[in-house]
Each structure stands twice: as C-alpha cells, then as structure tokens.
Amino acid sequence: MDTVINLARSPWSREALDQTWQPTGWPLPEGGSLAKHILDDEEWPIVPAGEWNVGVITNGKSTRVRGFSVGFALFYEPDDIWDPDPDPDLSEFPQHVPSDIWRIDRTADRARFQGVWEDGHRTVARRLGAPTVIDDGWDDESEWQHAVWRLGARLLIVAQGDDITTYSLYDEASLQVIDYPDDRPIPTGWDLHGLLLGSNLE
C-alpha cells in the first residue's frame, strides 16, 4: 500500500519514470527500463513485480502513463447469468496467480470476495482516513464497490471490476492510482469504471 501511495506522489513523465519506479523495490521489466517497456507494449502493459503484477494504465497510442493498478484478489462466479456453465478455464486458475503468497479458495463466494475488498478499504483508511467517495452507484445487477481518496491531482482507489488480463473472466479487487484533475468532481458508477479501464483520460 505504501508503495502505491508513494507512486501517487511521484512524477510519471517518461523521463522520470524509471527513477520513480526504482524506490518501489519492484524489479524492472526485461530490458531494464519501464519507459521502454510501455513504449514497446501499447496495450495495457503488465509488469511482473515480485509478489504482484502491476498494470500500467496509458493514454492510448501516446503511451503516456496515467495510472498504475495492483490486483490483490480475483473472483470467478460460475453461475453468472451470461455464463451459466462452469468455465473450463477455471481449472487453469493457478496460472493467473502472481506469486506463491496468493491463496486459492475454490469454495469462496462473492461475500468472501467482498470481505477481501473491505479489508483493503480498511487498510488504506487507517493510513489516509475516510475515503473521499464510497461508490456503489451501479445498476441493480452490479455488486462492485469502490473507495476513492483524492491525493492532489491523483486518485487512489480500492476498486472492484473486470480483470483485464483474463478478458473479464474474473472480477478483480485492486489498488489503483490514476491521474485526475484536482478541480473536477470524482466520477461515480460507470464513469468511474471507465476511468479504471483507461477511458475518460485526456
């Protein structure tokens, strides 16, 4: 958590990016430069970082860094109304786990996933105080929540949403930090969801 908070308070320009990354203690991607890795991978770069995978949110083809995302839980719901049969990819779940410290609980339900998100929310709140926004303003079928803190021109978010790396096969709980003008109201509902996916970024 402290690492992501420090990222929120550091410069993300291409010239400063590698220097910003160094204090995280996370390894640099192959080739030794995060800035070059992002330039070479235009679609949602993922950086293996020891115990975690760090997603880098960029502003389209400009590859300007607009945020970072660190997932801390994944959830698969086999009785989804759009996917009523258990997905055979579930048997491959261990290949998506970033490290050996992750635990797999095949009996966990959505309430357990929600509890893990709430643990993340409380952990950040102990450090930063109450969130600026708690958002559950989705449609009646959505069960996602977000807790959002404003840190100047950045938002720090304990989020729930699609796991991009598995093309939304799983729901993901993540800690994200995103560029966002400090004079604009914090988005909610699907506007916030779009921001987490890299949309609505100027």
Side-chain angles (χ1 to χ4, degrees):
M1 177 189 65
D2 286 344
T3 299
V4 177
I5 292 173
N6 289 337
L7 277 176
R9 293 170 171 157
S10 301
W12 297 349
S13 66
R14 183 168 301 281
E15 297 76 19
L17 194 56
D18 288 340
Q19 187 174 353
T20 289
W21 190 259
Q22 187 175 0
T24 67
W26 293 332
L28 285 165
E30 186 176 346
S33 169
L34 179 60
K36 182 178 185 304
H37 178 74
I38 293 169
L39 186 64
D40 291 344
D41 186 351
E42 294 183 2
E43 185 177 353
W44 201 274
I46 301 293
V47 182
E51 298 171 352
W52 316 101
N53 285 333
V54 180
V56 183
I57 303 167
T58 60
N59 190 17
K61 293 182 179 180
S62 72
T63 64
R64 177 184 172 192
V65 172
R66 302 307 304 268
F68 296 91
S69 173
V70 182
F72 60 87
L74 295 172
F75 175 67
Y76 174 78
E77 191 164 40
D79 61 350
D80 188 290
I81 61 171
W82 303 112
D83 184 19
D85 299 318
D87 195 302
D89 286 347
L90 183 61
S91 64
E92 302 299 322
F93 183 88
Q95 76 181 18
H96 302 299
V97 176
S99 79
D100 291 339
I101 74 164
W102 281 59
R103 293 173 294 172
I104 300 169
D105 181 357
R106 295 182 185 275
T107 67
D109 57 11
R110 184 166 289 279
R112 172 66 179 134
F113 177 65
Q114 178 68 16
V116 173
W117 177 86
E118 289 171 355
D119 288 344
H121 166 207
R122 285 191 293 267
T123 298
V124 176
R126 283 194 292 269
R127 174 68 186 275
L128 297 178
T132 311
V133 169
I134 289 280
D135 179 53
D136 57 1
W138 308 86
D139 60 40
D140 292 339
E141 295 179 357
S142 177
E143 299 181 80
W144 293 337
Q145 282 190 296
H146 297 84
V148 186
W149 289 259
R150 190 186 288 279
L151 300 177
R154 305 262 167 83
L155 301 180
L156 189 143
I157 306 166
V158 181
Q160 291 177 322
D162 298 295
D163 174 41
I164 300 303
T165 62
T166 59
Y167 299 96
S168 304
L169 177 63
Y170 302 101
D171 283 358
E172 180 188 54
S174 61
L175 182 61
Q176 304 202 21
V177 57
I178 295 177
D179 254 344
Y180 196 75
D182 56 9
D183 60 350
R184 291 173 58 184
I186 295 172
T188 57
W190 292 109
D191 290 335
L192 179 56
H193 180 60
L195 186 69
L196 295 173
L197 294 179
S199 304
N200 308 324
L201 294 175
E202 298 175 358

